Amino acid sequence: MTLHKNETDILGVGFGPSNLALAIALQERGATLNMQFLEAKPAFAWHPDMMLDGSDMQVSFIKDLVSLRNPASPFSFLSYLHAKGRLERFINRKSFYPSRHEFNDYFSWAAGHFETECDYDQRVVGAEPLRDANGRITRLAVTSESGAGVQSTYLTKNLVLALGGRPLVPDTFAQVAQNDCVVHSSAYLSTVKPKLKQSDKPLKIAVIGSGQSGAEIFYDLVNDPHNPQVDFIFRSHALKPSDDSPFVNEIFNVDFTSYVYQQTPERRRAIMKDFSNTNYSVVDGDLISQIYGVFYEQDVVGGSHYTLRRATRVKEARFEAGQVRLDLGETHGTQTDVQGYDLVILATGFKRRIGETILSDLKDYVTDAEVGRTYQMATTDEFQPRIFLQGYCEESHGLSDTLLSVLAARVDEIANELVCSNPTPLMSAAE
């Protein structure tokens, strides 16, 4: 059964922090445009399977949904604290970094103000261009499907995609990826924790990946009461600390996005490589110290319950005798070791390929021209609907594109494009 919806001026696909921030920006501009958002999850949730106890944000609370765009906004993190009655207590913490649990609660609090603007449990399955009497494409018909299989159609003039990344499974694990013994970090809490609890013996687990997620999962398993045996496996020789020093942090400033965009593709790649240690395959320094302490203490008391398999690559993965068998080789050597695991956790990041989204249905109308500075895709002359991207422009806009750092500024630019025919100035704190 298909239920047809009314036409909307702006349709956002995905309702995580990016499109939530856009909804706020449009509301604060007093935009008269009708907006609607579609979210596949049954309710608002931000990385729910990585809400590990004791994990803090790695970005200042000031880089919330709104503050860099409008510090006077009633949707700021400070406004949230005031509404929850925790403002003074948060100040007493003397920290810029809330827990991940608290920031997720902040996002959920803000999303709660837009219940009528977001349709949850709606997975987008297709998009079709609609032509007017003159043959011009003026609208899109976007089809979504609920968990119960009910389809809905949304007609829109503007499309904003904020889909997030899909779990990246290395080719080495392709043959075993569908086995429930292989889990991506994005499903950690809901998948691994029940298995630990249900097992009648301590499980042997491999954690693959040297980034923040892999380190957090390893440390969480070390502190799990079910006492799993854990191998921490990664290609590099050491866990590398993320560089969050003041001058380096300026690459996440709004004006740096414009600087990156103005460069040649070759220069952009060089910038990405130069600053990759701010975001990729790096770990918070405090967590590195805690993990180092785990292995040091193990040396003191004796034992081999936890193993650090560094400078190690997975050459082959197969399912055998009820376990995932990994052929482990030296990153810069020839020695090979074979180990069997009850669970393998892939902390291998995410992939963002715009061609694998609903835009595949519109490929005939999207040109090869670069995404615009204000995140609008280039389309053919006959195609009048505008398509904006959130989180898919790292190659052209820089490392901050997938992060919270430029969120408020990015949605301000997109909102300005959407209402450019009648922009509304923001109220200042003084007003």
Side-chain angles (χ1 to χ4, degrees):
M1 180 179 70
T2 300
L3 176 65
H4 289 277
K5 297 286 185 178
N6 293 327
E7 183 171 355
T8 181
D9 295 307
I10 303 166
L11 183 67
V13 180
F15 200 60
S18 293
N19 270 345
L20 171 57
L22 177 62
I24 296 171
L26 289 168
Q27 183 189 91
E28 291 187 346
R29 284 177 173 269
T32 57
L33 297 172
N34 180 28
M35 60 179 172
Q36 195 68 32
F37 298 88
L38 306 178
E39 171 55 50
K41 298 185 182 70
F44 185 90
W46 179 62
H47 300 305
D49 273 292
M50 284 300 291
M51 287 294 145
L52 306 183
D53 292 339
S55 59
D56 291 337
M57 296 293 295
Q58 294 176 279
V59 63
S60 166
F61 71 84
I62 298 174
K63 292 186 174 182
D64 56 17
L65 296 167
V66 295
S67 291
L68 292 183
R69 173 182 60 80
N70 179 18
S73 171
F75 290 97
S76 70
F77 181 73
L78 291 180
S79 295
Y80 154 80
L81 289 174
H82 185 268
K84 294 289 184 176
R86 292 200 304 268
L87 181 55
E88 289 181 310
R89 292 170 63 199
F90 183 84
I91 294 171
N92 291 338
R93 291 179 71 245
K94 298 181 179 180
S95 173
F96 274 87
Y97 307 98
S99 72
R100 198 172 292 162
H101 281 295
E102 186 170 34
F103 225 61
N104 179 61
D105 190 58
Y106 157 62
F107 287 147
S108 298
W109 168 82
H113 292 79
F114 295 90
E115 291 291 337
T116 59
E117 286 81 10
C118 181
D119 290 339
Y120 291 97
D121 188 30
Q122 294 294 321
R123 182 175 62 88
V124 172
V125 295
E128 178 185 357
L130 301 178
R131 297 180 183 272
D132 64 10
N134 297 315
R136 295 171 302 185
I137 299 171
T138 57
R139 296 179 299 170
L140 295 174
V142 177
T143 303
S144 65
E145 186 173 279
S146 71
V150 177
Q151 290 193 342
S152 302
T153 298
Y154 298 79
L155 307 181
T156 188
K157 302 173 184 175
N158 298 283
L159 188 65
V160 185
L161 298 181
L163 300 171
R166 295 184 179 183
L168 174 61
V169 177
D171 292 340
T172 307
F173 293 91
Q175 294 184 354
V176 296
Q178 301 305 314
N179 193 288
D180 63 2
C181 293
V182 178
V183 181
H184 191 267
S185 60
S186 59
Y188 172 67
L189 285 179
S190 61
T191 303
V192 174
K193 288 297 190 177
K195 289 181 179 293
L196 290 171
K197 186 176 181 180
Q198 294 163 7
S199 177
D200 57 2
K201 63 179 179 65
L203 298 180
K204 184 177 181 182
I205 300 176
V207 178
I208 314 292
S210 61
Q212 183 72 18
S213 294
E216 288 183 0
I217 287 172
F218 172 78
Y219 194 69
D220 184 72
L221 290 170
V222 167
N223 292 282
D224 190 278
H226 300 94
N227 199 31
Q229 181 181 345
V230 190
D231 285 7
F232 194 6
I233 305 169
F234 47 87
R235 288 173 172 265
S236 58
H237 183 76
L239 294 178
K240 301 174 183 178
S242 55
D243 189 344
D244 60 354
S245 55
F247 286 111
V248 169
N249 260 354
E250 289 186 343
I251 71 166
F252 301 119
N253 288 1
V254 176
D255 58 359
F256 197 77
T257 300
S258 294
Y259 171 76
V260 172
Y261 189 81
Q262 294 165 2
Q263 306 305 309
T264 64
E266 293 76 18
R267 176 58 183 152
R268 289 174 188 163
R269 288 192 289 270
I271 293 171
M272 292 278 289
K273 182 179 180 181
D274 194 25
F275 291 107
S276 63
N277 63 340
T278 61
N279 189 39
Y280 292 111
S281 298
V282 290
V283 182
D284 180 75
D286 291 341
L287 182 55
I288 291 177
S289 297
Q290 291 172 317
I291 292 173
Y292 192 88
V294 169
F295 289 104
Y296 182 83
E297 188 64 18
Q298 181 171 259
D299 286 343
V300 171
V301 301
S304 57
H305 205 66
Y306 309 114
T307 303
L308 188 67
R309 296 185 179 274
R310 52 187 171 184
T312 300
R313 60 190 177 95
V314 180
K315 299 172 64 176
E316 184 181 347
R318 59 192 179 277
F319 189 70
E320 188 177 285
Q323 284 191 320
V324 180
R325 308 284 288 184
L326 301 183
D327 290 355
L328 304 174
E330 295 177 319
T331 302
H332 303 292
T334 59
Q335 289 187 352
T336 300
D337 184 22
V338 179
Q339 293 288 328
Y341 298 96
D342 300 306
L343 282 175
V344 173
I345 302 172
L346 302 178
T348 47
F350 297 85
K351 60 182 179 180
R352 295 171 184 262
R353 297 170 182 168
I354 196 64
E356 296 178 0
T357 69
I358 61 166
L359 286 186
S360 62
D361 294 344
L362 305 173
K363 62 180 183 297
D364 292 339
Y365 309 101
V366 176
T367 72
D368 294 332
E370 188 169 71
V371 174
R373 172 61 187 83
T374 55
Y375 305 95
Q376 182 176 342
M377 297 196 73
T379 55
T380 58
D381 292 340
E382 64 175 336
F383 191 90
Q384 294 183 356
R386 292 181 293 179
I387 303 174
F388 296 87
L389 303 178
Q390 295 217 64
Y392 277 82
C393 303
E394 187 180 74
E395 289 185 359
S396 55
H397 289 66
L399 279 164
S400 59
D401 188 66
T402 61
L403 308 177
L404 296 176
S405 295
V406 298
L407 189 62
R410 180 174 67 209
V411 299
D412 191 40
E413 294 172 348
I414 294 174
N416 185 63
E417 291 293 320
L418 290 169
V419 299
C420 61
S421 59
N422 186 26
T424 303
L426 293 173
M427 291 182 64
S428 69
E431 295 172 309

